[in-house]
Amino acid sequence: MKLLTVTMLILTICQLEGALVRREAEEAAAASLFSQYFQRLDDFRKDLVEKATVPEVQSQVQAYFEKSQEQVIPLAKKAFTDMMTFFSSLVESGKKAASQ
């Protein structure tokens, strides 16, 4: 009976040690996975910075600025004209009301 108890105790200890080793290996694998992910993310960022050269970015910004000016300036002129017409009509209304 003692032999059976000792055998069971040894098997239980070995299984627990195996589970602990497996768990530590899984944790190390997860940490390794995260470090690989962040390394790839950093490599992607470096590649993106290398690809986006300064002259390209400047030309794209210049093209965007010119396009926005082409669209905004006519709208601003029309808004200014409409606002001046509105204020002129208010002044005329005020003059008519004051003269009556």
Side-chain angles (χ1 to χ4, degrees), residues 36-69:
Q36 288 175 356
Y37 172 75
F38 287 120
Q39 183 63 40
R40 287 182 184 166
L41 190 62
D42 189 47
D43 292 342
F44 177 73
R45 181 193 58 83
K46 288 177 183 176
D47 290 342
L48 188 63
V49 168
E50 289 175 2
K51 288 179 183 177
T53 58
V54 175
E56 286 180 16
V57 173
Q58 286 177 344
S59 65
Q60 289 176 355
V61 168
Q62 183 68 25
Y64 178 77
F65 182 70
E66 290 171 357
K67 184 178 178 182
S68 65
Q69 276 188 330

Side-chain angles (χ1 to χ4, degrees), residues 86-100:
F86 175 71
F87 285 134
S88 297
S89 67
L90 284 178
V91 170
E92 291 298 322
S93 298
K95 286 181 182 178
K96 287 181 184 178
S99 66
Q100 289 180 358

